Amino acid sequence: MRLVLIGPPGAGKGTQAAVLSERLGVPHISTGDLFREHVTRGTPLGREAQRYLDTGELVPDRVTSGMVRERLARPDARHGFLLDGFPRTVPQARELAAMLGATGSAPDAVLAFTAPEEVVVARLLSRGRPDDTEDIIRHRQRVYQDQTAPLLAHYSGILLTVPAVGPVEDITARALAGLADTKGRAAQSVAITERS
Ligand code: AMP
């Protein structure tokens, strides 16, 4: 299963991604984590990405897409993955379509986690990552609204909206139920096409 997770910073995407990856048996690929690893290791990519991470801006698409392309080419991602934090712009979604299209595949579903802004800002303030000061948090919310939210319309055909408020297990259950439903409908439409 090839999944994309979208949601404003603080919607609990990373937590859900870790649980869902385990439950579905596909690797969890987080671009935020990949960037932070590069920064820690002091690689050239990490040095280039650092100032964007520090200010809450998006790392340029060229750098980000190259890193994702490399990660998706690894054998563990051949039969499925869960992308957390990519794509974050419509051009990145087009890049992803091109990467997957080369092997005849495409995302199966996009899970969009939703939560009110005040809830996500409060969650981030209590998390304490270096890029979690209130100014940067508010800025990341604006970047999400301006650059990432347009993806919801872009993926409208395969979008599953998951309200991300309440206990972690309830949110996971909602996501899994939505996915089971999608698979059921996909199987049904294959059966109908085969009969006709
Ligand atoms: P996250 O861990 O998803 O909150 O991402 C942390 C930071 O990494 C973001 O604020 C961006 O600076 C950068 N980042 C993560 N994913 C992307 C992406 N798909 N495109 C551009 N920048 C990204």
Side-chain angles (χ1 to χ4, degrees), residues 136-193:
I136 299 177
I137 288 172
R138 296 265 176 213
H139 183 64
R140 294 213 312 269
Q141 298 296 326
R142 274 199 305 280
V143 169
Y144 174 80
Q145 290 306 332
D146 294 347
Q147 304 198 51
T148 307
L151 283 178
L152 304 180
H154 180 85
Y155 282 128
S156 62
I158 53 168
L159 194 72
L160 287 171
T161 302
V162 182
V165 183
V168 170
E169 309 76 56
D170 293 4
I171 303 170
T172 308
R174 267 174 229 145
L176 288 172
L179 288 172
D181 223 37
T182 314
K183 269 202 262 179
R185 262 183 281 131
Q188 220 174 20
S189 86
V190 169
I192 290 167
T193 318

Side-chain angles (χ1 to χ4, degrees), residues 14-116:
T15 307
Q16 291 301 325
V19 179
L20 289 170
S21 123
E22 176 102 33
R23 297 282 288 270
L24 300 168
V26 290
H28 170 199
I29 301 176
S30 153
T31 42
D33 286 350
L34 290 174
F35 282 131
R36 283 184 287 276
E37 273 168 39
H38 276 282
V39 169
T40 306
R41 283 171 24 222
T43 67
L45 193 152
R47 283 199 295 278
E48 185 166 2
Q50 175 138 39
R51 65 196 157 109
Y52 299 98
L53 269 73
D54 286 348
T55 54
E57 293 292 337
L58 295 185
V59 179
D61 285 347
R62 172 187 50 79
V63 178
T64 308
S65 297
M67 183 178 76
V68 172
R69 184 182 295 276
E70 222 166 77
R71 179 63 188 86
L72 289 182
R74 303 229 307 250
D76 66 333
R78 198 173 305 146
H79 301 295
F81 50 76
L82 200 151
L83 274 173
D84 164 12
F86 183 93
R88 242 178 168 97
T89 64
V90 172
Q92 287 183 6
R94 297 209 177 98
E95 284 275 347
L96 177 64
M99 290 176 212
L100 298 179
T103 57
S105 73
D108 295 304
V110 173
L111 292 171
F113 294 93
T114 59

